[in-house]
Amino acid sequence: MAEYRPETTILGLGDAFYDAVEAARFPQHVVRFRNDRAAASVGLDGLSDEAWIDHFGRFTPLPGSLPQPLALRYHGHQFRTYNPDLGDGRGFLFAQVRDDRGRLMDLGTKGSGTTPYSRFGDGRLTLKGAVREILATEMLEALGVTTSRTFSVIETGEALTRNDEPSPTRAAVLVRLNHSHIRYGSFQRHAFHQDRESLAKLVDYCLAHLAPEASGPTPVAALIDHAVKGAARLAAQYMAAGFVHGVLNTDNINITGESFDYGPWRFAPAWDAGFTAAYFDHAGLYAFGRQAEALQWNLFQLGGALRLIAETDELKGPLEAFPQRYRAALSDAMLGRLGVKRLGSAEDEALVAAIQTALVATQMDPDRFFFDWRGGVRRGASVADHHYSHDAFSEFLRLVPDFATSAPSHDYWADADPCTMLIDEVESLWAPIAERDDWAPLHAKIAAIRRMGEAHREP
C-alpha cells in the first residue's frame, strides 16, 4: 500500500487560476462505489466508510491537503466554437496527493454543487451518469487506455430533473482521481485575457509538477512537445479500444494526455469511422475515426494560446510531428492489444492497416477480433470464423505469423466470449438499479472487467 502523501501544489499558482468554493450539502450519503484499488495507490484505502463519506460526500478536507475546494478557471472550444464562459460548473478540485509512482494527482469532483461557473445549472450529477462513468473508466483502464479513475460514487438523496432521461431521477456525487485537471482551456483563458505572466506561470507549473521529464529548447517548446506526445498516444489508445469519447472539446483535454470527463461515450460495435457517441454531434465532428483529427485540432488551439509567450518556431516542430507520432502510437496500441511484439515501423504499420481493412470490410465486433487473435494465433473455434475466411482477412493472415507469440495463459482467454461494454449492456446494468435498487449486476460486471484487465496485463 502506498503512503498517504498530501499536497497543496496548486496553491502556488495563486487565485488567478481558481475560486474557493463550498460543497453542496446533501440530504443523505450512501456509498455506492469506492475504488479501493485506486485508493491504495494514494494511501487512502484504509479509510472507514464513515471517513470515506466525510471526505468524499461532505468534503471535509483531507489532512494536509487543500483547506477548501477550488473551482478551476478555464475557457475552451466547444465543438470548435470558443466559449469564454466556462470553468468548473458542477465540480471542483478537492485535494492533491502523490501516488505510488510519485506523480502529483488530483481528486476532483462531479456533481458537488454550484460554483461561479454553473451558468444556471444545478451543479448536480445523476446517479445514472455516475454509473456510466464508473463503467467507462473501469473498461478503459482494463484495456490500457490512459484514463482517470472513478474513485468514489455516493448517492445523495436528491431528485433531479433532466431533459434527456426519465425524471425525476436519482442524484450522486462522484470523485475522480486524475493526473491533473489543467486543461488546454486553462491556457486559453489566460491567452484570451492577454495575461502573459499567468500563462508563463502555468507553463512552469506544468513542467515542474506534471511533466518533469519533458524536454525542449525552451519551456514552451518542452510543454507543447509533451502535449503532442500525450494526445497522439491517447488518440491511438481510443482507436485500439474501439472507444468514442464523444466530447473532445479543448476544456475536456488535460495537459497530461489523460482521458477524463465521460458524458455521451460509446464503444463502437464495429470498425465504423463515422460512429458517433453524442446524439447532438450532428456533423460527426468527434466520430470514432475523427478523434485523432480532433485532438490534433485541439493541439493547434493550445499552440495558439502559447503563441502569446513563444515564437512560432518553438511550436512548429512538435505540432508538425503529431501525424508521425500518432502512427507510431497506433502501432503500439493496436499490436499491444493484439498481444504481439512490434517488428519495425513499416512492418507494424502494414499489420495495423491490414487489421483495419479487415474490420471495416467485415464490420465484425472489434472486441471479438482482438479476443480471438490475442497473441497473434487464433485459439479454437470462434463464432467469427465466417469473418476470418473473408478475403478481407487475407493480408492479415499473411502477415500475422511473423508477429505471433505464445498463446496467453490467463483463464480469461478460455472464455467463450470477450468482456464488452456496448450501450445495450450499459442500459441493462442500470435497469436493476433503477427498478429495484439491485447493484449486484454492476459489481459483478466491474469484477469481470478487472479480470479482463488482469489478462491484458499478461506479458
Side-chain angles (χ1 to χ4, degrees), residues 9 26 48 67 145-146 172 195 212 223 231 233 244 250 300 333 342 398-399 405 456:
T9 311
F26 301 115
S48 66
V145 177
T146 306
D195 187 347
L223 188 65
R233 180 193 66 231
V244 187
T250 57
F300 277 102
R342 294 184 63 176
R398 184 184 72 82
L399 294 172
T405 62
H456 277 86

Side-chain angles (χ1 to χ4, degrees), residues 28-182:
Q28 72 177 45
H29 301 86
V30 181
V31 177
R32 294 303 189 182
F33 176 74
R34 57 176 285 171
N35 191 340
D36 280 319
R37 184 171 67 173
S41 72
V42 293
L44 290 170
D45 55 323
L47 292 176
S48 66
D49 277 351
E50 181 180 356
W52 191 275
I53 288 171
D54 192 40
H55 292 303
F56 307 123
R58 298 188 182 95
F59 297 101
T60 300
L62 284 169
S65 193
L66 300 179
Q68 189 170 358
L70 305 175
L72 302 184
R73 300 176 180 180
Y74 49 85
H75 290 180
H77 280 88
Q78 298 185 306
F79 286 83
R80 300 196 178 174
T81 297
Y82 194 78
N83 189 345
D85 297 318
L86 298 178
D88 281 338
R90 59 170 174 166
F92 49 61
L93 177 59
F94 169 61
Q96 291 187 300
V97 291
R98 293 281 170 183
D99 72 359
D100 51 6
R101 296 162 55 185
R103 299 182 303 165
L104 179 66
M105 304 295 289
D106 289 348
L107 286 164
T109 66
K110 193 173 183 179
S112 51
T114 57
T115 77
Y117 309 102
S118 296
R119 293 183 297 160
F120 307 109
D122 62 10
R124 271 39 176 194
L125 171 68
T126 66
L127 182 62
K128 184 178 183 180
V131 167
R132 285 173 45 80
E133 185 139 342
I134 293 170
L135 292 170
T137 55
E138 289 286 332
M139 194 73 180
L140 291 174
E141 182 182 3
L143 290 172
V145 177
T146 306
T147 179
S148 65
R149 285 176 284 175
T150 304
F151 193 85
S152 170
V153 170
I154 293 176
E155 188 169 1
T156 60
E158 295 181 312
L160 304 180
T161 299
R162 293 291 185 267
N163 296 326
D164 55 354
E165 62 180 283
S167 297
T169 188
R170 294 154 71 177
V173 62
L174 177 148
V175 177
R176 70 166 69 96
L177 184 66
N178 248 73
H179 185 34
S180 168
H181 281 78
I182 302 297

Side-chain angles (χ1 to χ4, degrees), residues 369-393:
F369 165 76
F370 285 109
F371 180 81
D372 287 346
W373 289 94
R374 178 75 178 186
V377 181
R378 184 163 60 87
R379 300 169 304 287
S382 165
V383 297
D385 281 350
H386 65 291
H387 287 303
Y388 303 136
S389 62
H390 193 287
D391 287 346
F393 267 98

